[in-house]
Amino acid sequence: MALQQTVEQTVAGLGYDLVEIERSAGGLLRVTIDLPWQGPTSSGVAGAPEPYVTVEDCEKVTRQLQFALEVDGADYKRLEVSSPGIDRPLRHERDFERFVGEVIDVTLKAPMGAAAMGQVAANRKKFRGTLERVAAADGSQGWQIVWSDEPEAKPGQKISKKRAPAPLQALGFVLDELREARLAPIVDFKGRRPKPDTQVSD
């Protein structure tokens, strides 16, 4: 717990968000950071690209973490600080607020069971869809993903305009029901490219 607190305090003290801490075999300590999200109006320019973590950001955090962990006598052999990449994990409420409208992958802690109501397999736990914010009956904010099981068209395949599109499906959830949530690693070669995955190792 001491190591977790040291990393959290150091990263936050430098003005970054801590996304994830992983400890791997061989003593590797992997820390993922991101720039803090200020909300949809922070840039002041509609459609302005979101700033990304740079190599310099990772180097700055690496240097400070090395010092802080040495002072604490933390047990690790190698430190790696990186940006989240295109499959960024979503862990906190603010992460979901930040990525409303994006396609995400969610894994439930428990299978759908009776709640599937025959629309999806009862044992299904993994879903991919567009993240939306919804208002619950009691006025509180909730979340859902929306998707269509329309099969993807193969290259060169012509789709009949008369064919009815597959119906949209929605899955409402609260964060406690999720085992994991991540941005879907979708690369759009025609439009916006994903941000580069930046990392620095000591």
Side-chain angles (χ1 to χ4, degrees):
M1 191 64 181
L3 184 144
Q4 173 99 12
Q5 289 177 338
T6 298
V7 173
E8 286 178 356
Q9 291 171 1
T10 303
V11 170
L14 291 170
Y16 300 94
D17 280 346
L18 176 64
V19 176
E20 198 169 33
I21 299 176
E22 296 176 274
R23 300 199 72 164
S24 303
L28 172 64
L29 177 64
R30 183 178 290 117
V31 176
T32 306
I33 63 169
D34 203 356
L35 298 176
W37 183 58
Q38 303 298 330
T41 58
S42 62
S43 65
V45 181
E50 216 176 303
Y52 297 142
V53 170
T54 64
V55 172
E56 289 75 20
D57 293 320
C58 294
E59 287 174 345
K60 181 164 72 171
V61 174
T62 298
R63 285 194 299 270
Q64 193 64 32
L65 273 179
Q66 285 171 334
F67 173 75
L69 293 171
E70 185 176 344
V71 169
D72 282 5
D75 180 27
Y76 76 99
K77 293 213 169 33
R78 193 162 66 88
L79 174 66
E80 183 179 285
V81 177
S82 65
S83 65
I86 62 174
D87 61 343
R88 182 197 202 281
L90 309 182
R91 300 190 179 284
H92 308 288
E93 195 81 23
R94 67 176 182 270
D95 296 333
F96 287 82
E97 291 174 6
R98 178 176 183 172
F99 294 107
V100 165
E102 298 285 345
V103 178
I104 69 169
D105 291 322
V106 299
T107 304
L108 302 175
K109 291 178 180 175
M112 288 293 291
M117 297 169 55
Q119 295 181 9
V120 297
N123 62 350
R124 184 171 176 181
K125 297 199 312 191
K126 295 186 176 184
F127 298 84
R128 171 175 289 186
T130 302
L131 177 63
E132 295 182 351
R133 193 199 318 265
V134 292
D138 61 1
S140 63
Q141 290 290 332
W143 302 101
Q144 71 176 14
I145 57 170
V146 177
W147 75 95
S148 166
D149 287 326
E150 187 84 46
E152 286 191 22
K154 296 175 183 174
Q157 179 184 0
K158 291 184 178 178
I159 300 174
S160 170
K161 293 181 180 177
K162 296 179 182 178
R163 190 176 77 179
L168 288 176
Q169 299 192 65
L171 170 70
F173 60 86
V174 295
L175 302 197
D176 285 346
E177 294 176 308
L178 302 183
R179 181 181 303 280
E180 184 181 57
R182 290 182 175 270
L183 289 179
I186 298 171
V187 179
D188 179 6
F189 292 106
K190 295 179 181 176
R192 180 175 62 87
R193 292 178 180 272
K195 64 181 175 182
D197 189 6
T198 306
Q199 66 181 39
V200 171
S201 301
D202 68 346

